[in-house]
Amino acid sequence: MKNYKIETKCVQAGHTPGNGEPRQIPIIQSTTFKYATSEDMGKLFDLEASGYFYSRLQNPTCDAVAAKICALEGGSAAMLLSSGQAANFFAIFNIANAGDHVVSSASIYGGTFNLFSVTMKKMGIDFTFISPDSTEDEIRAAFRPNTKALFGETIANPALTVIDIEKFASVAHEKGVPFIIDNTFATPVNCRPIEFGADIVTHSTTKYMDGHGSAVGGCIVDSGNFDWMAHKEKFPGLCTPDESYHGITYAEKFGKEGAFIYKATAQLMRDFGSTPAPQSAYLLNLGLESLHVRMDRHCLNAMKVAEFLETHEMIAWVNYPGLESSKYYPLVEKYMPKGTCGVVSFGVKGGRAAAEKFMKSLKIAAIETHVADARSCCLHPASSTHRQMSDEELSAAGIPADLVRFSCGIENYEDLIADISEALEAVKAGN
């Protein structure tokens, strides 16, 4: 599959049936697997043979879908998880322990910000948050001797800031740590961060990859490029024997191409059990088969809506990285020339009250805690997904209190614009 185009990989990668085998990925809805002898099963527990023994760790359906996403991102190994939150947690916790430190862009999804700044802090991992627009020197200044990773989002949810992947990756590698990037909004159809130096890519597959609001899920893809053994003093979990798993040294046994995912599976999935259901993986694969087609329409609709909003008297500001007026447009041209995403952020004149009136007046777009779906939806993050953040934290994350996040689905853009126009007229009449 390596030489095929992204569109072909969306449809064909991950599952190659043999003669007389199912054309569609089979749903292996089983918790356990039968073996003839204890010795056979023992080889699996020792990671000496490939196969399955318990679906909390691995399942054939989930692995086939993970292989497809791995092919789409151009990685060496991947794993599915039960949610995007689990994916980001595993990606960090796989290499950072109590007493360690991570540098992260401040412009990230509110749930991820809370995971890092509150929950993982309770686990003894400290985070420093920096502007996504930081210079190389500003990124360097945030590092400490115990820093284990640099984290960011390709296109931040919902601030829509665009990160300079090569710049962040360059500083991370200079400091001897991996650059981990959440590529949920862009998807590998529009951006492949590994090609620009990212080491680990995460996804909330719940969004565009699933695309139909069917199943919550997450994914981690390892580029296979980061040399853990070259920095073994920083990453003892990968480069010294794991006494909880037969004394395996993951970086030695599986090399830089497989160590990260093997450890995350054998150790973290074993202990935390953030297991995706085979049925959910099957639904995700159905979404992936049309991802390339849907992303074209999402981006077209978002551009048309953004252009309309830019000229409307009731709109205070518009943020869409695909607009030439966006300060991130040069980065979009570099990293995402085919398009960005289907999400537009904007402020309705009149502040919070006007934003609520606007959303209540929409007929096509529903108010949901969801985003990046085939059906248009909208949200006021300050009072929902990011409500745990203070006004100062919201500002630092690039999320003004009046921000409306509008996720353009794959409907006709003329209908979306008409719906938005009528809702804005309702706000105007109410004023």
Side-chain angles (χ1 to χ4, degrees), residues 47-169:
L47 303 180
E48 296 292 345
S50 60
Y52 302 91
F53 52 85
Y54 196 47
S55 281
R56 187 177 80 235
L57 278 83
Q58 288 179 289
N59 174 279
T61 307
C62 299
D63 280 0
V65 181
K68 174 174 284 191
I69 297 174
C70 188
L72 293 176
E73 285 287 6
S76 63
M79 64 187 296
L80 292 190
L81 298 99
S82 57
S83 68
Q85 280 288 84
N88 283 332
F89 171 69
F90 273 40
I92 297 293
F93 200 65
N94 206 32
I95 53 176
N97 301 310
D100 288 336
H101 173 253
V102 175
V103 178
S104 173
S105 168
S107 187
I108 55 178
Y109 168 58
T112 307
F113 186 93
N114 193 65
L115 170 68
F116 290 172
S117 64
V118 179
T119 303
M120 295 190 76
K121 187 174 182 179
K122 292 177 181 177
M123 301 172 74
I125 302 172
D126 198 15
F127 286 78
T128 295
F129 296 94
I130 61 174
S131 167
D133 304 328
S134 294
T135 64
E136 288 189 0
D137 285 341
E138 288 169 335
I139 301 171
R140 291 188 189 101
F143 272 72
R144 302 175 187 171
N146 60 338
T147 300
K148 298 300 176 72
L150 180 60
F151 181 90
E153 293 183 4
T154 310
I155 303 173
N157 174 18
L160 301 181
T161 55
V162 177
I163 209 160
D164 190 334
I165 301 170
E166 287 186 337
K167 177 173 66 177
F168 273 65

Side-chain angles (χ1 to χ4, degrees), residues 18-56:
N19 187 43
E21 294 182 347
R23 187 66 188 88
Q24 182 56 273
I25 292 177
I27 302 173
I28 309 300
Q29 193 66 47
S30 180
T31 61
T32 47
F33 302 82
K34 178 180 179 292
Y35 288 91
T37 69
S38 295
E39 288 78 12
D40 289 337
M41 183 172 282
K43 291 177 182 178
L44 298 175
F45 275 93
D46 289 342
L47 303 180
E48 296 292 345
S50 60
Y52 302 91
F53 52 85
Y54 196 47
S55 281
R56 187 177 80 235

Side-chain angles (χ1 to χ4, degrees), residues 394-410:
L394 286 168
S395 178
I399 307 167
D402 65 343
L403 183 151
V404 172
R405 183 185 72 185
F406 194 97
S407 178
C408 298
I410 58 174

